[in-house]
Amino acid sequence: MCNQIYSSPDFSSFLSFPHPFTELDYLTALSYRSRDLETYLTEIVRGVSRFIQSDWTIVTISSEDKVEIIASTIEMDQNSGFLLHDTLIEDVIQSGKPVIIPDSRQLLYSNKVPSNYLAYLGVPLKIGDGDVIGTICSFLEKPRLFLASEINIIELFAQRTSIAIENHRLYQQQLRLNQCLSQEVLSYSAELKKSQENFLERERLAAIGEFTAMIVHEVRNPLTTIEMGLEYAERRLKSDADQERLTLAVEEAQRLNRLLQEILSYAKPQILNLVSLDAGEFLDDIISQVQELPEAKGRFVSYCRERQVFSVLADKDKLRQVFINILRNAFEAIPLQETVTCSIISDVNPGYITIQFHNKGEPIPTDILPKLTTPFCSTKPSGTGLGLAICKRIITAHKGELLIESSFSGTMVTVQLPSLKNNTIV
C-alpha cells in the first residue's frame, strides 16, 4: 500500500501501538456537512495525531511551487507558506504515494526533516482524477515504525480530507458565481448542483468503503485461522468421509474469501490510470485470453469489427476486468458448442465507441433484468451478485454506459465508451 522511499535499521525495540481499527469509529463519525472546512480539517489532524501518537500533524495544499499549511495540531502564524522545492512534501506529491521515515538519523537526507523530529509519515491528498493536491504529514520526536495497517487508515483520513476540500472549493465557486452573475448563473446552477451531489455521493461511498474495510478485516483474520485449522485437519484425518467433509469446508472458506475481496473491490473508489488504446485490438487480446477460461471450454467466440481504429481513453486493467467478467457470464449462459458473438462499432451513439456481447442463452426474467447491476443480485445459484455491479461502477467512472437487454433470442450486453476525441475524463 505504501511506497517506502527511505529505509531504516531494525525497529524491534520500538514501542507497540494501539489496534489500528479502533480509530475507524472516529473516522466514520466525521461528517463534512456545515462547510466549515477549518473545523473539519482540525478534527482530521487531531484524529491522525491521536491515532499514530504523533507530536505534530498538518494538512498542506500545494499550488505551483508553493505549499500552504491549512490545518495543524500546533498553533502557527497566519503566514504559514513555504517553497515546495527540495522538501518531503515535494517527495510525497511527486511520487503520489506515502513517504515513510522511521528514523531520520539513519538517512542521507535527514536535513529534510525539521529539527527536533526524527520520524515522519507523509500521505498524498488525491482528488477524483488522481491528481495530488496536497498532503497529510505527521512528525514524531522519537523514531517510529509505521505498520501497513496504520498507513491504510491514514490513507482513509486523506481520502476524506480530499473530498472535503473539493466540496469546499465547489461551494466557494458557487458563491462567487452567485455574487457576480445574474441570469447566466441560473444556467450553471443545475450543473454545479449535480457536481456537488456527485462529490457528496463519493463521500458517502468513501464512508461505506471505510466501514467495509473494517468489517472485511475483522472477518478475514478469524477466517485465516479457520483455513489453517482445516489444512491441519486434512493432514491428520485420513478417512474418505473426513476428507470429503474437509474438502467441502475448505471450498466454502475459499468462496468466502473471494466474496470478501469482491466486496472490497466494489466499495473502494474507482481511481483510473488512463491511457490511450485501440478498443478493437484490446478486445481482440481479451478474447484470446478468455479462451483459456474453464467457462469457455467447448464454447466459441465470433468477433466482428470494422476496419478502423477505435481510440478510447481507458484504464487497461479495469477495462480488462469488465470484458472478462462479461464474457465469462456469456459462456456460463450457453450450452456446449454454442457461440458468443462480439462486435465493436462507432455509429450507434455519436461520440462513443460501442462494444456488444451477445449470447443465445435463456432470457433473463424481466423482474430481475433491471437489478442485475445492483449489488448482490445474481441469476447464478453460487453467484455473489457483485461482478456486474463492479463492472457498472468501472464503466461509469469512464463516463460510459453499461446496458443489458434480454429476450428469447438471447442476452445482449452493451458497453459504450467515449471516443478519444470526445473524451472528457482528463
Side-chain angles (χ1 to χ4, degrees):
M1 291 294 296
C2 61
N3 178 30
Q4 186 160 330
I5 295 179
Y6 304 105
S7 61
S8 66
D10 179 31
F11 290 94
S12 59
S13 62
F14 280 8
L15 295 173
S16 60
F17 292 87
H19 191 282
F21 286 89
T22 59
E23 203 64 24
L24 275 175
D25 290 337
Y26 175 85
L27 177 61
T28 305
L30 285 174
S31 178
Y32 177 62
R33 291 289 186 269
S34 64
R35 300 190 178 94
D36 184 357
L37 185 63
E38 182 178 354
T39 300
Y40 184 81
L41 295 183
T42 298
E43 291 299 318
I44 288 284
V45 293
R46 286 175 179 171
V48 171
S49 191
R50 184 177 67 182
F51 175 53
I52 60 174
Q53 300 180 1
S54 69
D55 298 293
W56 182 29
T57 297
I58 58 175
V59 172
T60 70
I61 294 293
S62 63
S63 58
E64 298 180 352
D65 61 344
K66 294 183 179 180
V67 175
E68 180 185 359
I69 299 176
I70 60 174
S72 172
T73 53
I74 298 177
E75 188 173 344
M76 304 185 66
D77 296 335
Q78 290 185 350
N79 185 15
S80 56
F82 54 91
L83 293 177
L84 178 65
H85 179 64
D86 201 30
T87 64
L88 288 170
I89 291 174
E90 183 183 34
D91 294 342
V92 177
I93 292 174
Q94 287 187 349
S95 67
K97 298 179 180 179
V99 170
I100 308 163
I101 301 179
D103 188 346
S104 65
R105 294 172 299 184
Q106 308 297 325
L107 302 169
L108 295 175
Y109 303 102
S110 60
N111 61 316
K112 287 189 176 184
V113 180
S115 59
N116 301 326
Y117 296 101
L118 293 179
Y120 170 83
L121 171 62
V123 176
L125 302 180
K126 295 182 180 180
I127 55 178
D129 56 8
D131 288 343
V132 179
I133 61 172
T135 63
I136 291 181
C137 301
S138 289
F139 304 87
L140 295 88
E141 295 177 355
K142 296 181 180 180
R144 167 74 145 86
L145 177 63
F146 297 98
L147 304 177
S149 58
E150 294 174 320
I151 296 170
N152 288 341
I153 299 300
I154 302 304
E155 288 180 319
L156 293 178
F157 275 98
Q159 186 181 89
R160 298 296 295 273
T161 302
S162 302
I163 292 171
I165 291 172
E166 281 297 285
N167 279 338
H168 181 76
R169 287 177 172 177
L170 183 64
Y171 179 65
Q172 294 301 319
Q173 177 187 358
Q174 187 171 10
L175 284 180
R176 288 192 297 270
L177 285 172
N178 288 339
Q179 292 168 356
C180 299
L181 304 175
S182 54
Q183 184 62 35
E184 188 176 353
V185 75
L186 296 176
S187 63
Y188 286 109
S189 293
E191 182 179 349
L192 289 171
K193 182 179 179 181
K194 183 178 180 180
S195 297
Q196 192 172 26
E197 288 173 351
N198 288 339
F199 279 120
L200 291 173
E201 177 66 9
R202 284 168 51 193
E203 185 181 57
R204 185 184 71 83
L205 289 173
I208 292 174
E210 293 153 13
F211 178 75
T212 301
M214 177 180 65
I215 295 299
V216 169
H217 174 83
E218 297 299 338
V219 172
R220 185 167 280 170
N221 280 348
L223 180 60
T224 301
T225 304
I226 292 171
E227 288 179 322
M228 292 172 62
L230 292 173
E231 291 172 1
Y232 176 79
E234 279 186 313
R235 294 192 298 268
R236 298 299 298 266
L237 301 177
K238 302 300 182 181
S239 73
D240 291 342
D242 289 337
Q243 286 293 316
E244 183 177 348
R245 290 186 177 91
L246 286 169
T247 299
L248 178 61
V250 169
E251 289 175 352
E252 288 300 296
Q254 292 172 346
R255 187 170 71 88
L256 181 54
N257 244 328
R258 290 193 297 270
L259 174 60
L260 293 175
Q261 186 56 49
E262 288 188 357
I263 292 173
L264 275 179
S265 297
Y266 178 78
K268 67 182 180 182
Q270 297 296 330
I271 298 176
L272 305 179
N273 181 23
L274 298 172
V275 296
S276 174
L277 56 86
D278 181 348
E281 292 184 356
F282 182 72
L283 183 57
D284 199 8
D285 292 338
I286 296 298
I287 290 173
S288 300
Q289 295 174 25
V290 299
Q291 300 284 3
E292 305 300 322
L293 292 175
E295 296 89 346
K297 188 175 182 180
R299 298 169 176 86
F300 309 98
V301 179
S302 174
Y303 179 38
C304 306
R305 69 181 176 104
E306 302 169 2
R307 290 183 171 272
Q308 67 179 82
V309 175
F310 299 94
S311 296
V312 296
L313 202 60
D315 186 310
K316 293 179 67 174
D317 291 337
K318 293 186 182 298
L319 200 57
R320 178 180 288 107
Q321 179 182 351
V322 170
F323 288 163
I324 290 178
N325 187 281
I326 293 173
L327 284 166
R328 179 182 281 117
N329 287 343
F331 288 135
E332 291 177 341
I334 59 175
L336 294 174
Q337 306 305 314
E338 286 291 338
T339 300
V340 175
T341 302
C342 304
S343 59
I344 179 168
I345 46 183
S346 59
D347 58 358
V348 172
N349 187 356
Y352 286 80
I353 303 300
T354 300
I355 305 103
Q356 295 181 324
F357 305 85
H358 182 260
N359 70 75
K360 296 181 180 180
E362 293 294 323
I364 299 171
T366 55
D367 59 326
I368 295 178
L369 191 61
K371 306 174 184 177
L372 279 181
T373 54
T374 58
F376 306 111
C377 177
S378 176
T379 58
K380 295 179 284 188
S382 60
T384 64
L386 285 170
L388 286 175
I390 294 170
C391 289
K392 184 175 178 63
R393 285 204 65 197
I394 292 173
I395 296 302
T396 300
H398 282 80
K399 305 296 184 185
E401 191 170 4
L402 178 66
L403 306 171
I404 304 176
E405 304 170 273
S406 189
S407 64
F408 288 103
S409 63
T411 298
M412 174 80 77
V413 179
T414 301
V415 174
Q416 292 185 338
L417 295 171
S419 61
L420 183 56
K421 63 181 179 180
N422 293 287
N423 205 302
T424 57
I425 300 178
V426 182

